[in-house]
Amino acid sequence: MAIDSRDPSFPEIREAVRKLCADFPGAYWRALDRDRAYPSAFVAALTQAGYLSVLIPEEFGGSGLGLGAATAVLEEVHRSGCNGGAAHAQMYTMGTILRHGSPAQKAAYLPKIAAGELRLQAFGVTEPTAGTDTTRIATFAKRVGDAYVVKGQKIWISRAEHSDLMVLLCRTTPRDEAKKPSDGMSVLLVDMKQAVGNGLTIRPIRTMLNHATTELFFDDLHVPAENLLGEEGQGFKYILDGMNAERILIASECIGDGRFFIDRACAYAKDRQVFGRAIGQNQGVQFPIARSYVQVSAAALMVDQAAALFDAGRPCGTEANMAKMLASEASWYAADQCLQTHGGFGFAEEYDIERKFRETRLYQVAPISTNLILSHVATHVLGLPKSF
Ligand SMILES: Cc1cc2nc3c(=O)[nH]c(=O)nc-3n(C[C@H](O)[C@H](O)[C@H](O)COP(=O)(O)OP(=O)(O)OC[C@H]3O[C@@H](n4cnc5c(N)ncnc54)[C@H](O)[C@@H]3O)c2cc1C
């Protein structure tokens, strides 16, 4: 393994995660990838070991360790060649209940989520026509008696088929009747088992990576009014609150991917003999790997800073965005260089490079695309005029 330029945090957790991941080698992921199947055994192992409840406070049965520990878990998962995308949302989606739920909702759900009895790893925000402009979502929840009746459509909702609950963002006031565009949206907690076939249809989308993502159709789905999280009309703020944790955790997955690619590129470059010498002896092969290492190391520091701010309860929106952007670009560069280092073998499934290459590409688009991060920095940090 390449050296980590940091003194890595949570060394015991990292070692234990690596040990767990060793039971899920490349062959396991390749078989799932071919069938676009869900890694149930891997997710069960992570759950049993308690890694998915590190952000849940101890009073609700989690380990209450914070985001720093969660980033260590996901970085090691990805560095080991595994993929946390099937389960990472179980770590942070519960934050909406933790921060905005009533005492009764917290008591009802958090201990079961911590124990792994309930999976809350689906969140429905994106819609086909709204795109990144979330204030334009059209899925509408109309209050009728003691229920909300939901009509509309969502797209790219990951893990919906593997979740007991979903955090769903809907309009409860039409955009043109709200005081501001970001008002009038609300968050509902949807019981997926009850909903499917009773107003909710889930349609899987086959993508270039194995990500269990879906399209959702709501046709008068009844959600009990008691499943409203926080105040009606304030949902956009609640969703934004959760996005910092998501971006920092996904950035840590990119750091893990980047280190995976660097480890593999170094090993191959030392071993592969062409023209009577190791290819890694050529600076044309060395330098891109060294550059990857520089970029991943720098991005890792930004991830650490964002996580430290989050855990200290301080504002971290800009740092979370910058960490996600730097880490996703560093992992993509490392992926490209690792593939190049492997020559033709980089394209062979059995090396796992092409699979990880496809997987790490996602993170420049989701959960937020690079342009939108640049726009945030340009207007919110640098005070440049707004472009939209
Ligand atoms: C595999 C996968 C899983 C996902 N999982 C989930 C999930 O679980 N839940 C969920 O709610 N969503 C999920 N998403 C959705 C994801 O968050 C969005 O795809 C992402 O935020 C980009 O939005 P969009 O696809 O609508 O792109 P668009 O908003 O249509 O943008 C398209 C491109 O145009 C650029 N662009 C748009 N407007 C501007 C502008 N003003 N200036 C400059 N550039 C601009 C964007 O940067 C982007 O590159 C997932 C997506 C994928 C692909």
Side-chain angles (χ1 to χ4, degrees):
M1 266 194 188
I3 297 158
D4 187 341
S5 61
R6 298 172 299 175
D7 200 5
S9 54
F10 302 98
E12 297 87 10
I13 289 184
R14 287 175 185 274
E15 202 187 322
V17 171
R18 282 199 289 268
K19 219 166 142 208
L20 183 153
C21 290
D23 291 336
F24 300 93
Y28 172 78
W29 296 98
R30 288 196 292 277
L32 295 169
D33 191 66
R34 255 170 244 136
D35 298 336
R36 294 294 189 268
Y38 190 73
S40 303
F42 176 69
V43 174
L46 280 182
T47 308
Q48 258 165 26
Y51 294 129
L52 301 182
S53 56
V54 291
L55 295 177
I56 300 180
E58 281 176 296
E59 60 173 307
F60 297 114
S63 51
L65 281 173
L67 207 66
T71 61
V73 170
L74 290 176
E75 182 184 322
E76 294 307 324
V77 163
H78 278 247
R79 186 175 193 166
S80 304
C82 301
N83 192 306
H88 57 204
Q90 178 79 0
M91 282 179 163
Y92 57 79
T93 314
M94 64 80 210
T96 314
I97 300 180
L98 183 64
R99 284 187 291 274
H100 307 291
S102 65
Q105 287 169 331
K106 288 185 207 182
Y109 295 113
L110 293 178
K112 288 185 180 161
I113 295 168
E117 287 165 33
L118 274 183
R119 306 213 68 82
L120 169 52
Q121 53 178 4
F123 56 94
V125 175
T126 310
E127 297 190 4
T129 52
T132 312
D133 188 358
T134 305
T135 67
R136 303 258 172 206
I137 62 166
T139 297
F140 201 89
K142 185 175 176 196
R143 181 76 189 252
V144 180
D146 57 3
Y148 285 95
V149 181
V150 183
K151 230 181 174 31
Q153 191 183 341
K154 295 279 173 185
I155 194 166
W156 306 120
I157 309 310
S158 303
R159 301 161 297 271
E161 296 169 295
H162 305 280
S163 208
D164 301 300
L165 299 165
M166 171 173 62
V167 162
L168 177 68
L169 185 71
C170 305
R171 275 231 160 258
T172 39
T173 304
R175 191 177 190 270
D176 52 8
E177 288 173 26
K179 267 199 229 138
K180 1 180 231 184
S182 57
D183 281 352
M185 286 179 268
S186 304
V187 174
L188 298 176
L189 194 60
V190 176
D191 178 336
M192 298 297 274
K193 300 282 176 312
Q194 190 274 327
V196 172
N198 291 306
L200 172 64
T201 306
I202 305 181
R203 194 180 295 162
I205 308 174
R206 196 175 163 95
T207 57
M208 72 185 257
L209 73 163
N210 183 17
H211 198 79
T213 198
T214 69
E215 215 172 348
L216 305 182
F217 300 89
F218 301 91
D219 189 10
D220 289 344
L221 171 72
H222 282 61
V223 178
E226 65 186 30
N227 287 22
L228 175 74
L229 290 174
E231 267 181 66
E232 188 179 294
Q234 298 301 307
F236 186 67
K237 274 189 237 151
Y238 305 157
I239 291 292
L240 283 187
D241 268 5
M243 284 178 170
N244 290 335
E246 179 183 45
R247 285 172 199 175
I248 296 167
L249 288 174
I250 282 174
S252 74
E253 295 186 340
C254 294
I255 298 298
D257 280 347
R259 295 195 192 287
F260 166 90
F261 291 120
I262 295 165
D263 293 342
R264 291 295 182 95
C266 282
Y268 191 80
K270 284 177 194 163
D271 188 55
R272 172 73 169 166
Q273 301 280 323
V274 182
F275 296 110
R277 58 181 172 167
I279 57 167
Q281 205 177 326
N282 303 301
Q283 289 186 331
V285 175
Q286 286 177 0
F287 285 4
I289 305 173
R291 183 177 292 276
S292 299
Y293 181 75
V294 172
Q295 291 181 353
V296 170
S297 301
L301 294 176
M302 192 76 235
V303 177
D304 287 349
Q305 194 199 352
L309 288 171
F310 184 96
D311 282 338
R314 292 176 53 196
C316 63
T318 297
E319 289 77 6
N321 270 319
M322 294 199 296
K324 208 286 290 184
M325 180 180 135
L326 288 175
S328 63
E329 291 184 348
S331 74
W332 175 241
Y333 180 77
D336 198 31
Q337 297 314 318
C338 183
L339 194 131
Q340 193 70 17
T341 302
H342 280 75
F345 289 107
F347 294 83
E349 279 184 1
E350 65 173 293
Y351 281 76
D352 294 311
I353 308 299
E354 62 82 32
R355 172 177 61 83
K356 293 289 280 180
F357 178 94
R358 286 184 278 117
E359 289 175 357
T360 214
R361 183 61 181 84
L362 173 66
Y363 296 133
Q364 286 176 80
V365 171
I368 175 105
S369 59
T370 304
N371 276 359
L372 271 290
I373 292 177
L374 292 172
S375 167
H376 168 91
V377 173
T379 58
H380 288 86
V381 182
L382 303 177
L384 291 165
K386 281 192 164 189
S387 61
F388 57 85

